[in-house]
Amino acid sequence: CFLGLVTAGLVFLVVGNTDIVKLSIAVEMVGAVLLPFTVACLYVLATGDFLPAKARVTGNHKRALAVIFPAICLVSIGTSLFGFGNEVQDLVTISTSAVTK
């Protein structure tokens, strides 16, 4: 199964004539968008009843995580949107310069 996915990805890159840099940027942006869901699941698992009381995050550590995790998520999504905005602006600049020539 894994080898099939790797082969399909390789065929997609070679046959589709895909720009590897743009593909890498898109993958990183998807990771940044999915980060809040991942962090929220980790927070719920670490602070909830899923762990024994000795292993559970409680008290000041729990409050600190409740502040730090959303801040990290906001930075992640903000930089992703900022990068996406710059990418769109670059595409508009390229397309308008091609039209004027």
Side-chain angles (χ1 to χ4, degrees):
C1 185
F2 177 73
L3 185 60
L5 285 175
V6 171
T7 305
L10 184 62
V11 168
F12 174 75
L13 284 174
V14 173
V15 174
N17 196 16
T18 305
D19 185 14
I20 295 175
V21 174
K22 288 185 179 182
L23 179 64
S24 176
I25 291 170
V27 167
E28 292 298 326
M29 288 177 62
V30 168
V33 170
L34 293 177
L35 179 73
F37 301 109
T38 305
V39 169
C41 288
L42 286 174
Y43 181 78
V44 168
L45 285 173
T47 60
D49 293 334
F50 303 103
L51 291 176
K54 285 185 172 183
R56 194 176 307 145
V57 178
T58 58
N60 288 334
H61 289 109
K62 182 177 179 178
R63 288 183 204 91
L65 290 177
V67 172
I68 292 170
F69 281 174
I72 290 172
C73 292
L74 286 174
V75 168
S76 173
I77 291 176
T79 55
S80 177
L81 292 175
F82 179 74
F84 181 70
N86 286 343
E87 183 74 22
V88 170
Q89 185 178 8
D90 291 343
L91 289 174
V92 168
T93 304
I94 291 168
S95 64
T96 55
S97 65
V99 170
T100 58
K101 288 184 180 183

